Amino acid sequence: MSIQIHDTLTNGKRELVPLEPGKVRLYVCGPTVYDFAHLGHARCYVVWDVVVRHLRARGLEVTFVRNFTDVDDKIIKRANERREDPIALAARFADAFHEDMDALGNLRPDVEPRVSAHIPEIVALIETLVAKGFAYAPGNGDVYYSVRKFPEYGRLSKRNLDDLISGARVEPGESKADPLDFALWKAAKPGEPAWNSPWGKGRPGWHIECSAMTLKHLGPTIDLHTGGKDLVFPHHTNEIAQSVAATGDGVHADAFSRYWMHNGFVQIDDEKMSKSLGNFFTVRDVLARFDGEALRFFLLGTHYRRDFNFSDAILAEAEKRLGSLYETLDKADKLGAGASPAGRGGAVVDRARAALDDDINTPQVLGQLAEAFTAANAIADRKGKKTPEDRAELAAFGRDVREIGRTLGILQRHPEEALLAIRGRAAARRGIDPAMVEARIRERAAARAAKDFARSDGIRDELLALGVALMDGPQGTSWKVE
């Protein structure tokens, strides 16, 4: 087994070799909780959830740490607008974030540190940086990191100091020695939360928070650090500078995290998602109209490093495809009930794991699943009584696709439960009343019993015109939204 990932630091594919054999220390930059999670969060955290699931499926012991940033300028601004305590506001949105991630099927991290609970560790880390000469306190209560003291600054983002200096500036009220330097500690201002420190009351800067939490919960060198590609600069660039200066050799960027992975952006109808463009969607916005597993299924259809395009039409099509998968799984379960699955584990599982070993290629896995479902449909829909071999094949199919689904976080619901949920969301979007449909199905059954086939066909056509397809079977008539 060789797991290859695209490492942002070296800008190439590398074999993931943990520092300690068999164990992976993984840190994922969590959300700044001042509002509800948006589609960018959904994409990001579904990706890293699959990474964790796959590493564990491959037998690795993963310590998964994802933080909450609950001390930040955006949180303070939002809390002041609402006349609410910033920490309380952040806690409320952290709870909402959990609800949204649960709805997407994401696993909870092993450790979920919050900045507000790590102030002593942050202060101690800043003291270390000052003592080592990588940071300075100008005497006004602020503390800054001296960027030029770290020789590999910008290696992750492939930027050099000359490029950076052209856009750097010193804001009013700042006491930087160099425009490139960034704040580790900010002096207290009225209306802001503040803690005691050797430099006076204040609060941490954004970047130092993750360095301190990583150090406490995973140690000075970790195996894998992930996040959205928007974090490459300045956040992850600054994390490296701080962490290596404080705990490493003070020189080499890879002394902090051995590997870095970053996911692409979300576009809405081919434009970047942005509040200013009015195309900004929260996870709750989307899950009010679409099935949560369908959104996850849709997100996995694009390779994690690529930007992906979102629209209601594309998601609706993905939801229909997921429904079709569950329909096939339902048939296979019923036809293969009681049969011993053929073989100990199908080749489809091996192929899926190999695709995930190759830089978490979820689109390729979904393509492999589509082939497996096509083959299962051919067996299930074949006329005549099913042979023992057919039933064993269908039982094996159900076992294997659920095994793959466990790693992807899909296909884990009972098919009937999933199909009802998907149908309910689709019906609501189309303004279709399920009670009306059921009533029309009863009318149609009465017409058929009376041999009024013209009336029966008319009801079917009326419902089809509304987007409702009827399926007649041994147990009666069921329906779905086309």
Side-chain angles (χ1 to χ4, degrees):
M1 176 189 72
S2 171
I3 298 173
Q4 303 284 326
I5 60 171
H6 186 276
D7 174 30
T8 309
L9 189 65
T10 58
N11 196 30
K13 200 178 286 187
R14 297 172 60 202
E15 182 180 1
L16 178 64
V17 180
L19 186 65
E20 183 178 354
K23 297 184 178 182
V24 173
R25 299 175 178 88
L26 168 63
Y27 187 89
V28 177
C29 274
T32 300
V33 278
Y34 69 101
D35 206 340
F36 292 112
H38 54 68
L39 276 178
H41 292 126
R43 202 285 172 89
C44 175
Y45 298 118
V46 164
V47 164
W48 309 130
D49 181 67
V50 171
V51 169
V52 171
R53 288 169 181 265
H54 179 58
L55 295 179
R56 287 174 175 164
R58 278 309 204 184
L60 294 164
E61 181 184 328
V62 180
T63 303
F64 171 25
V65 179
R66 185 187 67 211
N67 73 293
F68 277 124
T69 295
D70 63 348
V71 179
D72 181 78
D73 292 345
K74 293 177 181 178
I75 295 170
I76 293 167
K77 182 176 183 293
R78 180 65 53 85
N80 287 341
E81 290 170 354
R82 299 187 177 189
R83 298 183 180 180
E84 187 175 353
D85 175 73
I87 303 300
L89 177 137
R92 181 160 53 81
F93 281 119
D95 289 342
F97 177 85
H98 275 147
E99 292 171 2
D100 291 342
M101 295 303 107
D102 289 349
L104 289 171
N106 286 346
L107 303 172
R108 296 282 180 100
D110 299 304
V111 186
E112 203 163 28
R114 302 189 185 210
V115 173
S116 59
H118 290 73
I119 301 300
E121 291 84 358
I122 292 170
V123 169
L125 186 57
I126 297 172
E127 287 184 293
T128 298
L129 289 168
V130 172
K132 288 189 169 186
F134 285 92
Y136 60 92
N140 63 346
D142 295 336
V143 182
Y144 293 97
Y145 185 93
S146 183
V147 164
R148 294 182 189 275
K149 294 287 182 71
F150 184 60
E152 289 202 348
Y153 188 84
R155 179 180 162 193
L156 182 74
S157 55
K158 313 298 182 285
R159 304 185 188 200
N160 60 49
L161 295 184
D162 290 336
D163 292 336
L164 295 171
I165 196 67
S166 63
R169 55 179 293 186
V170 178
E171 299 291 341
E174 292 183 329
S175 301
K176 296 180 182 181
D178 187 313
L180 292 177
D181 297 345
F182 59 89
L184 302 174
W185 189 260
K186 300 180 179 183
K189 297 183 181 66
E192 293 186 354
W195 292 265
N196 292 322
S197 81
W199 317 283
K201 290 183 75 69
R203 61 185 177 87
W206 176 31
H207 313 298
I208 195 66
E209 300 168 346
C210 283
S211 288
M213 289 183 287
T214 304
L215 177 62
K216 177 173 181 178
H217 296 288
L218 292 173
T221 302
I222 67 174
D223 296 295
L224 180 58
H225 198 312
T226 71
K229 69 179 182 181
D230 56 317
L231 298 182
V232 172
F233 184 86
H235 185 53
H236 288 167
T237 295
N238 291 349
E239 268 192 79
I240 290 171
Q242 298 159 163
S243 300
V244 174
T247 65
D249 60 10
V251 176
H252 296 100
D254 53 5
F256 169 43
S257 181
R258 293 160 60 82
Y259 305 86
W260 292 81
M261 296 174 74
H262 293 91
N263 65 273
F265 291 137
V266 177
Q267 294 181 314
I268 308 294
D269 294 324
D270 296 313
E271 288 188 299
K272 184 178 177 182
M273 187 175 74
S274 152
K275 287 183 178 178
S276 63
L277 293 174
N279 64 355
F280 184 87
F281 294 104
T282 69
V283 174
R284 294 187 171 210
D285 291 335
V286 177
L287 296 187
R289 296 177 292 119
F290 293 92
D291 180 73
E293 185 181 346
L295 176 56
R296 184 184 183 96
F297 179 72
F298 165 67
L299 294 171
L300 296 177
T302 299
H303 191 272
Y304 78 90
R305 288 196 293 115
R306 291 180 54 199
D307 295 347
F308 87 98
N309 191 46
F310 173 89
S311 72
D312 278 6
I314 299 171
L315 180 51
E317 185 58 36
E319 190 179 68
K320 284 178 67 175
R321 289 201 305 273
L322 180 65
S324 296
L325 298 187
Y326 270 115
E327 288 173 1
T328 301
L329 199 51
D330 189 42
K331 286 190 292 187
D333 286 349
K334 289 170 179 172
L335 292 170
S340 295
R344 293 185 178 180
V348 65
V349 176
D350 293 336
R351 289 197 300 271
R353 287 179 175 162
L356 293 174
D357 284 344
D358 186 13
D359 199 28
I360 314 297
N361 195 335
T362 56
Q364 185 174 336
V365 178
L366 293 184
Q368 293 166 352
L369 279 176
E371 293 174 3
F373 274 85
T374 298
N377 261 326
I379 297 172
D381 295 341
R382 191 183 299 147
K383 292 184 178 180
K385 186 177 180 181
K386 296 295 174 279
T387 67
E389 292 76 18
D390 288 339
R391 296 177 63 244
E393 284 293 325
L394 291 171
F397 159 79
R399 175 200 62 201
D400 292 346
V401 298
R402 285 184 170 94
E403 178 65 23
I404 298 167
R406 264 191 291 277
T407 301
L408 297 182
I410 60 174
L411 301 176
Q412 300 303 293
R413 289 181 287 180
H414 189 282
E416 291 180 0
E417 172 199 344
L419 289 167
L420 281 174
I422 291 169
R423 187 182 75 182
R425 286 286 194 272
R429 291 196 304 275
R430 298 280 290 272
I432 296 168
D433 179 7
M436 177 276 294
V437 175
E438 296 294 346
R440 299 295 277 162
I441 288 174
R442 289 193 295 272
E443 288 179 33
R444 179 172 175 267
R448 295 179 78 186
K451 300 190 183 303
D452 187 351
F453 297 115
R455 178 61 178 150
S456 168
D457 291 345
I459 292 172
R460 176 189 284 274
D461 293 343
E462 288 169 18
L463 289 174
L464 191 58
L466 295 175
V468 174
L470 302 183
M471 292 87 70
D472 296 318
Q475 282 75 44
T477 301
S478 58
W479 62 279
K480 64 181 179 179
V481 178
E482 287 286 270

